[in-house]
């Protein structure tokens, strides 16, 4: 059976996209399927550089079509920066392997500072490189400082001729071994403070660009490189001063969104493989899927995956509808980076509990999924970094809603130009949101949606009360992160419900899904209760927010039938 809530390569028909987008997405699937699972797994185990994939992408114009904004497209109507189709490609690449997704992902990041730049020559050069099939890299992080751009040791010294000589190293830079253009962040030696920041374009093939090593033992190339007296001409400069700083953060806003769809793709492939294995394995005279705990774990994995997909799809709409007066995407972006990706880990862990030793076998996709899914929550800061960012929006989101026109589903063939004109990367405290309550109210007849709505109301009351963490407790990040997890669940549930309404999601699935979220909210409330720094009032509130999900054996049975039907629904061509 084909489940419409999951991506299945054998039945995928992206009819909601234009002809060229459909052709390229289908061609990408067909390329992987024609290579087959044995080759996919062998290349992963051999850590084979994916030159054949890059050749395919170049021949088809895949990256050039999907990553060239309309302003640089030279009138080609198929080229645009369209977050909806980018998300679809990201999911497909994740489905077949994180390494293939990674080279696409870091090319997105490498292009971010270029497409935001006022340097017309650099933009034209980038478009030409894309047409030639080149990949790109984002030279931000460093070995000693990570992504702490305040402390960069990439130093540019004026050369007296209007340019600079760059010296310094970058670390953990994907595609740094092959990028036709590397967007590098540094600082001027002769200018103190933010005004000294510079983003410039470098070429990995230049003799003064020194590739040190691949810092990971992997098929992908995550480089360390050093520039030694690298000549930076005036025409290579992309941004200076505060604009360079803003370009770094705004690039992350655009590029790191793809973490969620990669996680969805990985989890989908792992789910097919795990359910098929479990349903066809007999232990003690019974199929493994006859055991109640196995059914519960597989159902939970399925429901968490469905929620991941619903949230990610809805978040796309807010990215595409963003503008100077609507920056709600700044909350939904760290949510995709943190919440969706950690849910992906939970999905794979649940599946692994069921298939056990099978998950280690080298001829499975699952073995690589179990490893690679771990990286996604850690590729942009860590969970606590993104939770800290999410917390900045709590007050305005829960307590001070503003009026916005409803955001429709955005699958139109439009260019998302605002993403490269986001402006200064500040003012998060002023971002406003629409009222979260109507999304819950639309499904108030479902018991578990009503329960999470009650927990969300309790959190809003807590946030407005004297028991909310104050200035002194603001230093206790461990305690605040527990509150952040609770808030994240409210936001997560909101967008899931919005997408459920827009897509007509089966209400059995939705109510079972919210039973999982109610359990999660209760677990985080118990965690808050146990924190060393929690006050007596906070402990009391935390326990009062614990709820038991509404159980319905018949509803659960109907959802299990959907999960069971995934057995044999997809197996990759051998």
């Amino acid at each position: 059976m084909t489940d419409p809530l999951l991506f299945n390569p054998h039945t995928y028909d992206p009819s909601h996209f234009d002809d060229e987008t459909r052709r390229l997405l289908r061609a990408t699937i067909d390329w992987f399927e024609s290579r087959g699972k044995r080759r996919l797994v062998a290349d992963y185990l051999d850590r084979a550089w994916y030159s054949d994939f890059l050749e395919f992408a170049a021949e088809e114009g895949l990256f050039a079509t999907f990553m060239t904004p309309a302003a640089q497209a030279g009138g080609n109507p198929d080229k645009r920066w369209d977050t909806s189709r980018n998300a679809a490609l990201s999911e497909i690449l994740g489905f077949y392997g994180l390494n293939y997704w990674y080279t696409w992902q870091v090319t997105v990041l490498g292009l971010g500072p270029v497409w935001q730049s006022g340097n017309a020559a650099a933009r034209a050069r980038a478009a030409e490189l894309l047409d030639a099939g080149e990949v790109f890299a984002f030279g931000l992080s460093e070995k000693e400082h990570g992504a702490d751009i305040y402390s960069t040791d990439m130093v540019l010294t004026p050369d007296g001729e209007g340019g600079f000589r760059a010296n310094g190293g970058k670390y953990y830079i994907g595609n740094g071994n092959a990028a036709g253009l590397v967007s590098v962040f540094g600082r001027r030696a002769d200018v103190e403070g933010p005004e000294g920041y510079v983003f410039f374009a470098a070429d990995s093939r230049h003799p003064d660009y020194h590739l040190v090593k691949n810092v990971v033992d992997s098929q992908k190339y995550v480089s360390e490189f050093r520039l030694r007296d690298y000549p930076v001409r005036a025409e290579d400069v992309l941004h200076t001063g505060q604009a360079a700083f803003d370009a770094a953060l705004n690039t992350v806003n655009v590029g790191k969104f793809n973490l969620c769809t990669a996680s969805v793709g990985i989890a989908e492939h792992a789910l097919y493989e795990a359910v098929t294995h479990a349903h066809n394995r007999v232990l003690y005279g019974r199929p493994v899927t006859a055991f109640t705990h196995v059914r519960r774990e597989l159902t939970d994995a399925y429901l968490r995956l469905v929620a991941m997909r619903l949230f990610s799809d809805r978040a796309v709409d807010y990215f595409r509808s963003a503008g100077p007066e609507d920056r709600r995407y700044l909350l939904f972006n760290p949510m995709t980076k943190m919440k969706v990706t950690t849910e992906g880990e939970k999905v794979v862990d649940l599946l692994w509990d069921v298939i056990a030793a099978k998950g280690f076998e080298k001829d499975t996709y699952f073995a690589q999924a179990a490893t690679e899914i771990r990286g996604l929550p850690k590729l942009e800061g860590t969970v606590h970094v993104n939770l800290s960012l999410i917390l900045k929006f709590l007050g305005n989101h829960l307590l001070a809603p503003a009026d916005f026109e409803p955001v429709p589903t955005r699958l139109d063939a439009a260019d998302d130009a605002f993403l490269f004109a986001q402006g200064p990367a500040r003012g998060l405290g002023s971002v406003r949101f629409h009222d979260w309550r109507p999304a819950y109210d639309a499904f108030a007849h479902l018991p578990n949606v009503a329960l999470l709505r009650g927990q969300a109301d309790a959190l809003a009351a807590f946030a407005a009360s004297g028991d909310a963490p104050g200035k002194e407790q603001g230093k206790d990040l461990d305690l605040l992160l527990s509150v952040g997890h609770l808030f994240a669940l409210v936001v997560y549930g909101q967008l899931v419900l919005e997408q459920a309404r827009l897509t007509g999601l089966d209400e059995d699935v939705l109510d079972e899904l919210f039973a999982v979220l109610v359990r999660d909210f209760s677990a985080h409330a118990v965690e808050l209760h146990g924190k060393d720094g929690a006050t007596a009032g906070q402990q009391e509130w935390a326990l009062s927010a614990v709820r038991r999900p509404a159980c319905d054996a018949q509803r659960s049975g109907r959802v299990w039938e959907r999960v069971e039907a995934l057995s044999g629904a997809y197996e990759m061509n051998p």
Side-chain angles (χ1 to χ4, degrees):
M1 183 186 96
T2 297
D3 190 313
L5 300 177
L6 302 179
F7 166 69
N8 185 331
H10 292 339
T11 59
Y12 183 64
D13 178 21
S15 57
H16 49 283
F17 288 127
D18 61 274
D19 290 345
E20 182 63 5
T21 298
R22 288 199 301 273
R23 185 192 73 80
L24 285 169
L25 292 176
R26 191 66 246 178
T28 302
I29 294 167
D30 292 344
W31 184 83
F32 281 106
E33 291 291 337
S34 67
R35 292 171 82 252
K37 185 175 180 179
R38 282 191 293 269
R39 174 73 181 277
L40 185 83
V41 172
D43 283 354
Y44 176 80
L45 294 175
D46 292 342
R47 302 165 185 80
W49 173 248
Y50 26 72
S51 56
D52 52 350
F53 171 67
L54 296 179
E55 288 170 6
F56 156 79
E59 290 170 1
E60 295 290 344
L62 179 64
F63 288 6
T65 302
F66 278 56
M67 287 194 266
T68 307
Q72 298 300 141
N76 184 332
D78 295 320
K79 289 182 178 180
R80 63 184 183 275
W81 195 282
D82 177 339
T83 305
S84 59
R85 69 177 186 177
N86 285 0
L89 178 60
S90 180
E91 180 182 359
I92 290 168
L93 296 178
F95 187 93
Y96 288 107
L98 186 70
N99 295 321
Y100 300 96
W101 168 88
Y102 185 74
T103 193
W104 145 268
Q105 160 68 7
V106 292
T107 294
V108 169
L109 291 170
L111 284 164
V114 181
W115 297 146
Q116 294 176 67
S117 175
N119 185 333
R123 294 198 310 271
R125 178 181 164 210
E128 291 171 359
L129 289 169
L130 278 172
D131 282 337
E134 297 282 0
V135 293
F136 290 66
F138 186 52
L140 185 68
S141 65
E142 299 178 10
K143 189 172 185 178
E144 301 303 325
H145 307 295
D148 177 8
I149 55 182
Y150 295 100
S151 305
T152 179
D153 287 332
M154 177 65 69
V155 179
L156 287 79
T157 304
D159 62 7
E161 299 176 359
F164 304 91
R165 291 286 173 170
N167 286 277
K170 293 291 179 178
Y171 195 80
Y172 225 83
I173 310 302
N175 286 351
N177 61 316
L181 188 153
V182 186
S183 296
V184 183
F185 184 86
R187 60 181 173 86
R188 292 180 56 155
D190 59 330
V191 179
E192 294 293 328
E195 292 307 310
Y197 294 141
V198 180
F199 241 125
F200 63 96
D203 184 347
S204 69
R205 299 172 182 85
H206 193 281
D208 296 320
Y209 178 106
H210 300 275
L211 188 64
V212 178
K213 62 180 178 180
N214 188 352
V215 303
V216 298
D217 184 16
S218 172
Q219 185 180 9
K220 56 184 171 289
Y221 204 103
V222 186
S223 69
E224 177 183 5
F225 70 80
R226 298 197 65 80
L227 302 184
R228 295 177 186 149
D229 286 333
Y230 185 97
V232 179
R233 303 165 301 171
E235 56 264 39
D236 296 324
V237 175
L238 302 173
H239 302 274
T240 60
Q242 184 63 39
F245 181 92
D246 293 337
L249 298 185
N250 290 337
T251 293
V252 169
N253 290 338
V254 177
K256 296 294 186 174
F257 176 80
N258 293 325
L259 298 172
C260 67
T261 41
S263 189
V264 170
I266 293 171
E268 285 171 324
H269 199 155
L271 180 71
Y272 285 123
E273 201 171 63
V275 173
T276 299
H277 170 73
H279 194 58
N280 290 279
R281 184 167 175 78
V282 175
L283 291 178
Y284 310 112
R286 305 167 67 191
V288 168
T289 50
F291 295 96
T292 55
H293 71 288
V294 167
R295 291 189 174 194
R296 193 268 305 165
E297 288 180 314
L298 291 178
T299 301
D300 273 14
Y302 170 78
L303 293 168
R304 289 185 186 278
L305 177 52
V306 168
M308 291 164 62
R309 194 132 198 260
L310 292 169
F311 183 92
S312 301
D313 286 350
R314 185 57 175 153
V316 165
D317 301 332
Y318 287 97
F319 268 77
R320 303 201 71 197
S321 301
E325 305 305 318
D326 182 357
R327 299 197 296 157
R328 288 174 285 179
Y329 72 101
L330 293 174
L331 166 59
F332 303 141
N333 191 43
M335 283 288 300
T336 61
K337 292 186 293 181
M338 183 281 296
K339 183 63 179 173
V340 176
T341 58
T342 54
E343 286 295 295
E345 288 189 279
K346 291 176 184 177
V347 169
V348 169
D349 285 343
L350 285 162
L351 299 174
W352 207 349
D353 280 346
V354 172
I355 67 171
K358 184 70 176 179
F360 293 99
E361 294 182 12
K362 67 180 182 179
D363 60 348
T364 65
Y365 175 85
F366 195 94
Q368 62 176 279
T371 297
E372 303 295 352
I373 198 81
R374 312 288 170 200
L376 289 161
K378 303 165 184 67
L379 281 175
E380 168 49 27
T382 56
V383 169
H384 68 261
V385 169
N386 284 297
L387 263 180
S388 298
L389 180 56
I390 288 166
L391 276 166
K392 294 180 184 294
F393 302 102
L394 183 151
N396 277 352
H397 185 278
L398 289 182
L399 304 175
D403 291 329
F404 287 92
E405 289 296 317
V407 170
T409 299
R410 292 292 311 276
L411 296 172
D412 48 304
D415 190 69
D416 300 339
F418 173 73
L419 297 180
F420 302 109
Q422 296 176 58
R426 57 177 182 266
L428 299 184
S430 65
V431 177
R432 303 294 297 278
F433 301 89
H434 60 297
D435 195 341
W436 54 273
R437 295 170 182 84
Y440 284 83
D441 293 344
F443 293 96
H445 58 286
L446 298 181
N448 288 303
V449 175
L451 282 168
L452 189 63
R453 164 63 194 271
Q455 290 175 309
D457 282 333
L459 180 63
F462 174 71
S465 74
D467 286 323
K471 185 176 181 180
E472 188 60 33
Q473 280 189 312
K475 302 173 184 176
D476 186 350
L477 188 58
D478 188 41
L479 182 140
L480 289 179
L481 293 181
S482 291
V483 177
H485 279 295
L486 295 169
F487 173 51
L489 276 165
V490 177
V491 179
Y492 198 60
Q494 176 193 351
L495 263 61
V496 166
L497 290 168
E498 289 184 11
Q499 188 68 4
R501 183 184 60 80
L502 289 167
T503 58
L505 180 68
D506 180 278
E507 290 194 347
D508 283 341
V509 174
L510 187 61
D511 206 24
E512 283 287 289
L513 187 163
F514 268 76
V516 174
L517 301 186
V518 169
R519 289 203 309 267
D520 288 352
F521 193 100
S522 298
H524 287 302
V526 171
E527 184 182 13
L528 175 61
H529 173 268
K531 292 297 181 184
D532 291 350
T535 65
Q538 290 164 350
Q539 294 173 47
E540 181 180 354
W541 176 86
L543 292 184
S544 74
V546 173
R547 298 287 184 275
R548 184 180 189 274
C551 300
D552 182 327
Q554 291 184 332
R555 181 190 68 216
S556 298
R558 291 191 294 270
V559 174
W560 165 249
E561 290 175 0
R562 298 177 70 111
V563 180
E564 189 177 34
L566 296 175
S567 175
Y570 168 78
E571 292 186 59
M572 188 174 178
N573 289 339

